[in-house]
Amino acid sequence: MAESYRNRQRRTARGALRSGAVAAVLVVGLTTFPFQPLGAFDTLEFRAPGAPADLRETLERNSLLGGLREEGRVEPLDVMAAARAEYGRLIGLLYEQGYYAPQISVQLDGREAAGIPSLRPPRNIGQVVVTVDPGPRFQFGRAEISPLTPETTLPEGFATGEPARSTLIRDATQFAVDGWRARGHALAEPSAQQVTAVHPARRLDVAVQLSPGPQLRFGALLPQGAERTRPERVRAIAGLPVGEIHDPEAIARAEARLRRTGTFNSVALRTADAANPDGTIDIDALLEEAPLRRLGVGAELDTEAGVRLTGFWLHRNLLRGAERLRLEAAIEGIGARSRGIGFTVDGRFTRPATFTPDTDLELGARASTLDERDYEAEAVQAELRLVHRFSDQLTGNAGVILRYERARFGTPRVTRNFATMALPVGFERDTRDVALNATRGTYLAGEIKPYLGFSGADHGMRLTVDARAYTGLGTDRVVLAGRAQVGAILGSGIDRTPRDFLFYSGGGGTVRGLPYESLGIDAGAGRSGGRGFAAISGEVRARMTDSIAAVAFADAGYVAERAFGGRSGWHAGAGVGLRYETPIGPLRLDLATPIRRSSGDVSSRRFQLYLGIGQAF
């Protein structure tokens, strides 16, 4: 096939010169500058009266000379190089569409580009004319690949009478090879092929013979390029089932596990070229390690809650086993109207491939001070959690959390200590296309957290669910996004529940347009968070340009004294916003106003402003 391509390319150029047939013309003008004669593409006209509109568009869109014009590169050497390469580019495109007898001419000021000596290019190029006659479209006559596995289905277009696209030959051959490799024949490959163009009949006959080779088992994983990561840890994280039948899907899963650690910039697992004498075949792991450390900062603005500043330091390979250590600090409430300054310091250690290749061990510690409108608190907690990935979309987690909180709340203020030991179990299912800026898919997360209370805390259980959905209105330029949140606390009384466990509504995470955590309940001895919570949000996101989008939204929130009733209240807000796309996610600017206030809302502001990175949900 490659040899016939080169011969046909030479014959095509000669034939075009002899016949002078014109099916498509690309004309380019010149402008001369006093300091150096340069070509300038003033016009670009592509005509193909004898070709289908889609073929004409494909040729025009992929023309090297057309691309040169768009880039503004008009030097004669660049034009000459593009003109000489244009033959191969256009022939390849025509073959992909099933045209195997084209005639192509590329003329520079009347001279065929292929005949101009490379060492003596013209100093000036005044006119460039590309002439293409695609010729007839060929159809498949014989279309055979053998042998095939019983499970293999070749692409639908690879059949007698269908357009003979060269891409279909490639795809059908790859399907056939993949079918054998999925059965453990790791060295399956084409052994012979015969591709014949029958010009009078406008037919392309294709016959490909495969050599499946023996069925093989996984041998050793051989890391290459991992200078700081221990080889045994690379193998443990990859989790290739040594001794089992070779499976390309297992290799893809191993690559994904190594990438998820964040330790490597690039990961590629390649099957060796030859099998071992014992019927196994080794896998080479080609790795490029990422920089060991990373720093990051962030900022969010809420008109009522003030500014929140965050920063983190990350070590990607702490113990040479792809372990991550992340230290993070946050200051919130700067310039807030209804709360004081709060601080949080958090440290988290993650060890991948603990117990199984898909299970991470997380150890965390956190200390925080909170100065909210209804209470002040200092808290410390330590946690151990196992996170297991069941699939690319579904993860589950379980662990234990020890927490101590000292809080002041109520009217008049009382001080109480809350100590708890919680056993959380949660899950997360994520089918979104892009987490920070989804246009389709869903997200569902839930947690059941039973806890034992000590000191001033009761025993109880905290339940939360967060559901989100995204869909486009026929196009990704207009996206509908919706979110629903539900929470409940069972068992413990309000005054014997840690303050940070209770639910509030209001602010950027629940109801925009209302002050941060402005909706709670009247607990008799002052305001408090509730034991029941629900919130719903909807957005219409319309992309105006490639980097700017407009958003309209509405939110509503509900807080109740008990999980399923008692004293309660609800509020709602709505607004508009702008999104500006950045490399780390969309920059979010929202302006919202209340459309229903709660009885406890003492703010007189009619508008709230929110600024941050990423969509609101």
Side-chain angles (χ1 to χ4, degrees):
M1 188 74 174
E3 182 64 30
S4 64
Y5 173 91
R6 288 192 292 270
N7 291 337
R8 187 176 304 282
Q9 184 175 355
R10 290 192 291 268
R11 187 170 66 253
T12 298
R14 292 196 299 269
L17 287 169
R18 288 195 301 269
S19 67
V22 177
V25 178
L26 178 65
V27 181
V28 181
L30 271 198
T31 299
T32 302
F33 295 88
F35 56 88
Q36 182 181 1
L38 297 176
F41 289 87
D42 295 329
T43 61
L44 176 61
E45 186 178 0
F46 207 102
R47 300 171 183 170
D54 57 344
L55 177 62
R56 175 187 178 278
E57 181 182 353
T58 298
L59 295 173
E60 183 178 5
R61 186 174 63 248
N62 292 278
S63 166
L64 293 175
L65 290 164
L68 207 66
R69 173 180 177 270
E70 291 181 1
E71 296 174 7
R73 297 168 56 191
V74 297
E75 293 82 357
L77 284 177
D78 289 339
V79 176
M80 178 69 183
R84 294 177 68 89
E86 190 83 312
Y87 300 101
R89 168 62 67 90
L90 296 180
I91 286 176
L93 293 169
L94 290 164
Y95 279 16
E96 289 179 1
Q97 299 298 318
Y99 296 89
Y100 292 91
Q103 294 185 4
I104 300 174
S105 172
V106 180
Q107 294 192 352
L108 309 181
D109 288 331
R111 300 171 63 191
E112 190 67 27
I116 300 175
S118 300
L119 298 179
R120 295 193 320 186
R123 296 189 59 190
N124 298 290
I125 297 176
Q127 186 182 57
V128 180
V129 177
V130 179
T131 304
V132 180
D133 179 0
R137 193 177 200 183
F138 283 54
Q139 296 180 333
F140 284 118
R142 183 183 179 190
E144 297 178 0
I145 299 178
S146 64
L148 300 176
T149 67
E151 300 85 4
T152 299
T153 300
L154 297 181
E156 185 176 349
F158 186 71
T160 300
E162 296 293 329
R165 302 174 186 269
S166 63
T167 52
L168 278 172
I169 304 173
R170 180 193 63 208
D171 294 345
T173 303
Q174 191 61 53
F175 271 58
V177 170
D178 289 346
W180 284 108
R181 290 179 179 174
R183 283 191 156 204
H185 297 260
L187 299 179
E189 62 180 357
S191 57
Q193 63 178 7
Q194 183 177 1
V195 181
T196 305
V198 183
H199 289 263
R202 301 178 182 179
R203 187 180 79 235
L204 192 73
D205 291 334
V206 178
V208 179
Q209 186 71 27
L210 300 184
S211 174
Q215 190 179 61
L216 301 171
R217 293 172 286 111
F218 280 118
L221 180 69
L222 306 176
Q224 300 178 26
E227 299 178 358
R228 295 187 295 263
T229 310
R230 289 175 281 134
E232 63 271 20
R233 285 296 295 155
V234 173
R235 297 187 184 100
I237 295 167
L240 278 181
V242 176
E244 295 186 10
I245 298 299
H246 183 279
D247 182 3
E249 291 188 3
I251 293 177
R253 290 193 296 269
E255 287 182 336
R257 294 185 188 112
L258 289 166
R259 290 191 187 100
R260 280 199 302 266
T261 66
T263 301
F264 307 104
N265 276 334
S266 67
V267 177
L269 268 58
R270 297 289 183 263
T271 301
D273 294 332
N276 300 319
D278 61 355
T280 64
I281 190 165
D282 296 335
I283 306 297
D284 295 321
L286 310 178
L287 308 171
E288 180 186 339
E289 292 177 317
L292 277 178
R293 299 168 185 86
R294 180 184 174 193
L295 288 171
V297 296
E300 294 182 11
L301 170 66
D302 181 315
T303 305
E304 196 75 20
V307 176
R308 183 174 189 267
L309 301 177
T310 60
F312 72 87
W313 176 87
L314 174 68
H315 196 297
R316 291 187 170 100
N317 199 355
L318 186 66
L319 304 177
R320 300 185 61 237
E323 301 90 356
R324 297 189 301 276
L325 176 64
R326 182 185 176 100
L327 304 178
E328 186 168 356
I331 305 175
E332 53 191 358
I334 301 173
R337 291 169 52 87
S338 58
R339 59 187 301 198
I341 300 291
F343 303 91
T344 300
V345 178
D346 185 275
R348 187 162 299 272
F349 171 85
T350 303
R351 182 182 188 270
T354 302
F355 304 124
T356 79
D358 292 306
T359 305
D360 293 354
L361 169 68
E362 293 185 357
L363 301 175
R366 175 181 294 184
S368 61
T369 63
L370 302 174
D371 187 358
E372 307 296 344
R373 180 167 56 178
D374 296 340
Y375 67 94
E376 302 93 40
E378 297 85 34
V380 293
Q381 77 174 41
E383 70 176 281
L384 180 152
R385 195 182 294 261
L386 293 174
V387 180
H388 184 79
R389 183 176 293 272
F390 295 97
S391 69
D392 291 340
Q393 299 175 345
L394 180 63
T395 60
N397 66 84
V400 57
I401 300 175
L402 300 177
R403 189 175 191 278
Y404 175 82
E405 176 185 301
R406 183 177 181 84
R408 294 166 295 282
F409 59 96
T411 306
R413 283 289 199 251
V414 297
T415 300
R416 180 163 295 169
N417 298 328
F418 301 99
T420 56
M421 182 180 73
L423 301 172
V425 177
F427 75 93
E428 182 179 287
R429 184 177 184 274
D430 191 350
T431 66
R432 295 174 294 180
D433 52 349
V434 181
L436 286 179
N437 193 15
T439 60
R440 59 183 179 274
T442 60
Y443 173 87
L444 180 63
E447 184 180 69
I448 300 174
K449 184 164 70 175
Y451 56 88
L452 298 175
F454 306 97
S455 186
D458 284 344
H459 307 324
M461 180 181 294
R462 192 175 193 265
L463 311 174
T464 56
V465 175
D466 185 353
R468 311 174 194 181
Y470 310 84
T471 186
L473 292 180
T475 171
D476 287 347
R477 299 193 71 86
V478 179
V479 175
L480 299 181
R483 182 183 190 184
Q485 301 176 77
V486 177
I489 292 176
L490 307 175
S492 59
I494 284 183
D495 61 343
R496 297 184 65 83
T497 299
R499 300 296 93 183
D500 198 39
F501 283 17
L502 298 172
F503 298 105
Y504 288 88
S505 181
T510 52
V511 179
R512 288 161 286 184
L514 279 301
Y516 175 73
E517 293 193 349
S518 59
L519 180 59
I521 58 106
D522 184 358
R527 290 185 74 261
S528 170
R531 292 183 294 167
F533 164 74
I536 187 169
S537 299
E539 288 192 350
V540 179
R541 304 169 182 170
R543 187 148 50 93
M544 314 303 292
T545 69
D546 289 342
S547 58
I548 298 176
V551 176
F553 58 85
D555 308 326
Y558 166 88
V559 176
E561 178 185 12
R562 299 192 298 270
F564 305 104
R567 287 169 290 187
S568 64
W570 72 279
H571 59 183
V576 295
L578 289 175
R579 305 289 185 266
Y580 180 77
E581 193 66 35
T582 72
I584 60 175
L587 178 65
R588 180 180 76 255
L589 175 64
D590 286 338
L591 181 65
T593 186
I595 56 177
R596 187 188 190 280
R597 294 179 181 270
S598 65
S599 59
D601 181 14
V602 297
S603 172
S604 61
R605 287 180 177 263
R606 297 186 59 187
F607 295 99
Q608 304 285 338
L609 184 68
Y610 306 90
L611 179 65
I613 293 290
Q615 297 285 1
F617 59 88

